[in-house]
């Protein structure tokens, strides 16, 4: 069995879908691994590192995918890569079909079994495969680091002979995996941290990290059965907007992480709110690729509006590509080794497993995922 690891071609994508450690593990299962030339450069992994682990280095994507049974990717493949993929192969990655729905037809044309790991069910058995958690965790950390680097003042309280420097105030909007890591990172740096989320259930987690939980007095919950945030009523949104507006006036650093799967990011910070923020404050909008939690955010740009710096990086995990690749490669190995490969080292997919049915987009030329039929 051959596993192919393609180089990521999307601008700014430095991660890679396999590391020397995961290559060794695939080899132990009886698989041969082909890695496209310089696929790991952005993550600090040379071709020699892969060869030392037992991989073969392919000169280009065509040679890499030729005869492949499983193709590993970080992001959705480019269309030129699609044309090179063997018919009937298994494609595994963060394929983001909401943004790349046009590729479903291409998958079907090649009769690929395409697995999008963002759709893994939130059950304990899937935790070691959870790509969203591993990548969001790093995104939350990096968001705070970037915010602090652009902030013109120190973050922790400092008591000096010349006087006391007051600590910076940080607000995190959305207390999922990225938000909780942002809270923890800001606290470690000495900021006074507050957090908001539509899901009251996360209050205990926020407070356990030493942050203040800001909540709207309402009877409705913002949590779906799967544990994700959902869209709220107009009345709730009005109260939410008033609360966030007042809170923002006192903040120095703001990390926005609020997303609704399959929909544009909710607008949490309006232009009027930005106008009322302190000059020199910083907003890092992790929802930039989905429209942004602030409409003033510009994708993959740092801009200053009304004296406030807005950061709109669309791929924050790639800004920590070394660790992001290590974690992602482990997630992929756990998925592939558990669900796609048998003990004899051959393909052995349990098509009825809920982790398979939850992530499978296309198979045998048909779109099979319930969200895209």
């Amino acid at each position: 069995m051959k596993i192919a690891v393609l180089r990521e071609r999307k601008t700014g994508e430095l991660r890679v879908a396999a590391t020397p450690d995961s290559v060794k593990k695939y080899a132990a299962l009886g698989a041969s691994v082909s890695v496209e030339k310089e696929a790991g450069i952005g993550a600090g992994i040379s071709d020699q590192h892969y060869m030392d682990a037992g991989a073969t280095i392919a000169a280009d994507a065509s040679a890499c995918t030729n005869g492949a049974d499983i193709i590993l990717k970080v992001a959705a493949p480019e269309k030129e890569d699609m044309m090179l993929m063997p018919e009937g192969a298994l494609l595994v990655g963060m394929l983001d079909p909401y943004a790349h729905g046009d590729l479903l037809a291409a998958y079907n044309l090649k009769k690929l079994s395409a697995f999008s790991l963002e759709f893994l069910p939130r059950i304990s058995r899937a935790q070691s495969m959870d790509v969203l958690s591993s990548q969001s965790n790093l995104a939350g950390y990096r968001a705070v680091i970037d915010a602090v680097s652009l902030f013109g003042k120190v973050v922790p309280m400092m008591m000096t002979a010349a006087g006391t420097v007051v600590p910076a105030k940080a607000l995190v909007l959305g207390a999922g995996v990225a938000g909780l890591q942002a809270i923890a990172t800001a606290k470690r740096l000495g900021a006074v941290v507050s957090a908001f989320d539509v899901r009251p259930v996360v209050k205990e987690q926020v407070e356990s990290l030493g942050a203040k939980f800001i909540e709207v007095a309402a009877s409705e919950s913002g949590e779906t059965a799967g544990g994700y945030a959902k869209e709220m009523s107009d009345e709730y949104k009005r109260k939410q907007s008033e609360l966030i507006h007042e809170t923002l006036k006192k903040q120095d650093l703001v990390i926005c992480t609020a997303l609704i799967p399959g929909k544009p990011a909710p607008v949490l910070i309006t232009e009027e709110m930005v106008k009322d923020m302190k000059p020199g404050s910083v907003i890092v909008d992790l929802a930039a690729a989905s429209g942004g939690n602030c409409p003033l955010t510009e994708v993959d740009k740092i801009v200053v509006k009304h004296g406030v710096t807005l950061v709109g990086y669309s791929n924050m995990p790639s800004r920590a590509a070394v660790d992001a690749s290590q974690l992602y490669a482990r997630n992929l190995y756990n998925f592939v080794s558990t669900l796609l490969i048998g003990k004899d080292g051959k393909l052995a997919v349990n098509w009825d497993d809920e982790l398979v049915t939850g992530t499978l987009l296309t198979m045998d030329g048909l779109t099979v995922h319930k969200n895209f039929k």
Side-chain angles (χ1 to χ4, degrees):
M1 179 177 60
K2 178 180 177 179
I3 296 176
V5 181
L6 285 174
R7 179 170 58 85
E8 300 299 317
R9 304 189 203 291
K10 182 180 178 181
T11 301
E13 183 56 81
L14 302 177
R15 293 171 292 177
V16 64
T19 61
D21 284 343
S22 66
V23 166
K24 290 177 183 178
K25 292 179 179 179
Y26 289 125
L29 296 175
S32 63
V33 181
S34 176
V35 179
E36 186 179 355
K37 183 180 179 181
E38 297 187 346
I41 292 297
I45 306 171
S46 68
D47 290 344
Q48 187 62 51
H49 286 135
Y50 283 118
M51 289 190 289
D52 291 344
T56 300
I57 301 301
D60 53 30
S62 178
C64 185
T65 57
N66 183 36
D69 300 287
I70 299 175
I71 300 166
L72 303 182
K73 288 278 285 130
V74 175
E78 300 296 321
K79 290 187 176 180
E80 56 263 35
D81 287 339
M82 288 295 312
M83 302 306 296
L84 303 173
M85 294 184 183
E87 186 171 304
L90 277 59
L91 172 65
V92 186
M94 294 188 292
L95 305 182
D96 192 8
Y98 288 123
H100 301 285
D102 57 319
L103 287 176
L104 294 175
Y107 301 154
N108 287 329
L109 186 64
K110 286 284 187 173
K111 295 185 178 180
L112 299 178
S113 295
F115 297 88
S116 193
L117 297 194
E118 307 100 303
F119 293 108
L120 274 167
R122 285 193 150 182
I123 59 177
S124 58
R125 193 161 60 92
Q127 287 181 352
S128 66
M129 313 169 190
D130 189 352
V131 295
L132 286 182
S133 290
S134 71
Q135 303 304 293
S136 295
N137 194 47
L138 291 171
Y141 163 81
R142 186 70 209 198
V144 174
I145 299 302
D146 284 348
V148 170
S149 71
L150 293 167
F151 187 47
K153 298 164 63 179
V154 300
V155 174
M157 181 177 72
M158 293 185 180
M159 301 181 70
T160 75
T164 299
V165 178
V166 298
K169 292 184 178 180
L171 173 65
V172 178
L173 298 177
V177 175
L180 291 172
Q181 183 55 246
I183 292 168
T185 303
K187 282 295 295 183
R188 286 195 293 268
L189 293 175
V192 175
V193 186
S194 302
F196 170 84
D197 196 288
V198 296
R199 300 165 297 160
V201 70
V202 303
K203 178 179 180 179
E204 184 177 347
Q205 294 172 285
V206 168
E207 292 178 341
S208 72
L209 293 171
K212 178 182 178 182
F213 186 67
I214 300 170
E215 57 186 323
V216 174
S219 59
E220 61 182 304
S221 171
E223 186 173 26
T224 66
Y228 296 98
K230 70 177 184 180
E231 193 163 3
M232 305 299 285
S233 67
D234 290 341
E235 175 64 15
Y236 183 95
K237 289 178 182 178
R238 182 186 64 77
K239 293 180 179 179
Q240 169 187 287
S241 180
E242 292 173 355
L243 178 62
I244 291 176
H245 193 167
E246 286 305 308
T247 305
L248 283 171
K249 294 176 183 179
K250 308 167 188 175
Q251 304 303 311
D252 300 298
L253 309 172
V254 182
I255 311 298
C256 302
T257 74
L259 290 167
I260 299 174
K263 295 184 178 182
V267 174
L268 301 180
I269 302 177
T270 65
E271 183 169 5
E272 290 304 311
M273 296 180 191
V274 174
K275 288 179 180 179
D276 286 341
M277 290 179 67
K278 294 191 290 185
S281 52
V282 180
I283 298 173
V284 178
D285 195 342
L286 292 180
S290 298
N293 292 146
C294 178
L296 299 183
T297 303
E298 296 186 25
V299 179
D300 289 324
K301 292 182 180 180
I302 299 174
V303 296
V304 178
K305 302 288 181 70
H306 308 297
V308 176
T309 301
L310 294 104
V311 181
Y313 294 130
S314 62
N315 188 353
M316 194 64 80
S318 186
R319 293 177 60 75
V322 173
D323 289 315
S325 296
Q326 294 286 346
L327 296 177
Y328 182 73
R330 291 172 198 160
N331 291 146
L332 256 62
Y333 172 78
N334 291 331
F335 181 83
V336 171
S337 64
T338 302
L339 300 169
L340 307 185
I341 301 179
K343 294 181 180 179
D344 59 357
K346 297 180 181 178
L347 283 179
V349 184
N350 180 359
W351 298 106
D352 295 323
D353 190 292
E354 63 181 314
L355 300 183
V356 171
T357 58
T359 55
L360 185 63
L361 299 177
T362 61
M363 184 176 70
D364 295 332
L366 298 173
T367 299
V368 297
H369 196 280
K370 62 181 180 180
N371 291 3
F372 302 96
K373 284 185 177 180

